[in-house]
């Protein structure tokens, strides 16, 4: 039982760190630090691979940089991840970057 509590604590810390990276990526993008923003979205995704908002926003940035093939991969991941929890409609109805 003790290991389950420890594992839950680790999971919560990982999810919290992913959210911190995501929020930092948004802030960096708003400050026109696009490359660092990309790096932080990638860090968030590495910690939480089903973080569809991070996939979507990263795709948006890559599309704006004309990296269309790479952007498409992240758009596809956003659709797949968000469809698992029926959030894609919400994702597209909310303001992002």
């Amino acid at each position: 039982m003790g290991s389950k509590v420890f594992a839950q604590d680790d999971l919560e810390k990982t999810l919290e760190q992913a959210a911190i990276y995501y929020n930092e990526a948004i802030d960096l993008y708003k400050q026109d630090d696009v490359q660092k923003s990309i790096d932080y979205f990638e860090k968030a995704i590495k910690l939480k691979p089903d973080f569809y908002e991070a996939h979507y926003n990263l795709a948006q940035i890559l599309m704006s940089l004309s990296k269309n093939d790479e952007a498409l991969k992240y758009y596809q991941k956003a659709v797949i991840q968000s469809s698992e929890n029926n959030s894609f409609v919400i994702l597209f109805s909310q303001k992002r970057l």
Side-chain angles (χ1 to χ4, degrees), residues 70-86:
E70 194 175 352
L72 181 59
K73 292 175 189 176
Y74 284 100
Y75 280 130
Q76 290 171 332
K77 289 177 183 179
V79 170
I80 291 166
Q81 297 303 328
S82 65
S83 66
E84 290 178 3
N85 62 16
N86 299 318

Side-chain angles (χ1 to χ4, degrees), residues 1 4 11 13 17-20 24 29 37 39 43 47 50 54 58 60-61 71 75 78 80-81 83-84 87 96:
M1 184 154 136
K4 286 185 180 182
L11 176 61
K13 287 177 185 175
Q17 187 61 52
I20 290 168
E24 185 66 21
Y29 181 81
S37 178
D39 294 342
K43 287 179 181 185
L47 289 176
D50 63 345
L58 182 53
Q60 289 286 92
I61 292 171
Y75 280 130
I80 291 166
Q81 297 303 328
S83 66
E84 290 178 3
S87 300
R96 295 288 178 222

Side-chain angles (χ1 to χ4, degrees), residues 6-71:
F6 182 72
Q8 183 66 27
D9 288 344
D10 286 348
L11 176 61
E12 288 175 11
K13 287 177 185 175
T14 299
L15 296 178
E16 183 178 321
Q17 187 61 52
I20 290 168
Y21 285 146
Y22 175 83
N23 289 327
E24 185 66 21
I26 296 289
D27 291 342
L28 288 163
Y29 181 81
K30 289 178 180 177
Q31 296 167 19
D32 293 323
D33 196 341
V34 176
Q35 186 55 54
K36 268 188 149 176
S37 178
I38 290 170
D39 294 342
Y40 275 78
F41 279 125
E42 288 173 341
K43 287 179 181 185
I45 291 167
K46 185 175 180 180
L47 289 176
K48 188 175 187 299
D50 63 345
F51 201 161
Y52 65 89
E53 296 97 332
H55 286 284
Y56 176 77
N57 283 325
L58 182 53
Q60 289 286 92
I61 292 171
L62 293 170
M63 188 66 78
S64 74
L65 297 173
S66 298
K67 296 181 177 184
N68 301 345
D69 290 339
E70 194 175 352

